[in-house]
């Protein structure tokens, strides 16, 4: 899956193990449920969405592939959105472009998401 996507939405930007990460949501249908998580490393950082997956895998000894890492990434995003730390930014109407390189379908609803898309995000 490779998708170039542009939107204006609430964006949470936060530091994570040396990366700057941005998180937002989209909906897979007209109900507007926000069931698709968009998570990206913010440009101009040279890291990619793959760095998020490797970071998540490094937090576990012999993790089962996929589901555990996806849940870890989503946990970091929802934690950042709920915590009001000085290093986190909540941008209610941010314009952004995402170069999304991976789409992962969770085996069940987790943190109100069924799909996780990762890649790089550029915030205008």
């Amino acid at each position: 899956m490779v998708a170039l996507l542009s939107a204006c939405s609430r964006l949470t930007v936060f530091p994570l193990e040396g990366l700057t990460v941005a998180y937002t949501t989209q909906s897979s249908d007209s109900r507007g449920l926000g069931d698709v998580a968009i998570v990206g490393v913010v440009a101009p950082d040279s890291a990619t969405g793959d760095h998020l997956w490797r970071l998540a895998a490094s937090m576990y000894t012999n993790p089962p592939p996929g589901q555990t890492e996806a849940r870890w990434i989503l946990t970091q995003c929802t934690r950042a959105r709920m915590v009001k730390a000085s290093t986190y930014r909540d941008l209610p109407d941010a314009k952004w472009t995402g170069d999304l390189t991976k789409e992962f379908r969770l085996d069940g609803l987790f943190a109100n998401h069924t799909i996780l898309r990762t890649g790089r995000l550029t915030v205008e």
Side-chain angles (χ1 to χ4, degrees):
M1 180 246 162
V2 176
L4 189 59
L5 191 64
S6 293
C8 181
S9 62
R10 178 182 179 191
L11 198 65
T12 301
V13 180
F14 60 99
L16 182 65
E17 298 291 327
L19 301 174
T20 300
V21 177
Y23 161 67
T24 191
T25 62
Q26 291 196 325
S27 299
S28 61
D29 61 30
S30 62
R31 294 177 294 167
L33 299 176
D35 56 320
V36 178
I38 309 283
V39 183
V41 176
V42 177
D45 198 320
S46 62
T48 66
D50 290 338
H51 287 82
L52 292 170
W53 290 91
R54 285 195 296 276
L55 178 60
S58 75
M59 298 295 159
Y60 300 93
T61 304
N62 301 320
Q67 296 295 324
T68 302
E69 291 97 330
R71 286 186 173 94
W72 186 87
I73 292 168
L74 288 171
T75 298
Q76 304 316 305
C77 294
T78 55
R79 174 189 53 78
R81 185 159 277 187
M82 292 188 323
V83 172
K84 298 296 181 194
S86 62
T87 56
Y88 298 179
R89 291 182 293 154
D90 192 32
L91 309 172
D93 296 307
K95 292 180 182 177
W96 56 270
T97 301
D99 183 7
L100 306 175
T101 55
K102 182 170 184 168
E103 178 174 290
F104 186 84
R105 294 191 176 273
L106 292 127
D107 58 8
L109 190 66
F110 185 82
N112 199 48
H113 300 300
T114 56
I115 299 169
L116 171 61
R117 293 181 179 153
T118 58
R120 292 179 48 78
L121 265 65
T122 303
V123 182
E124 293 181 25

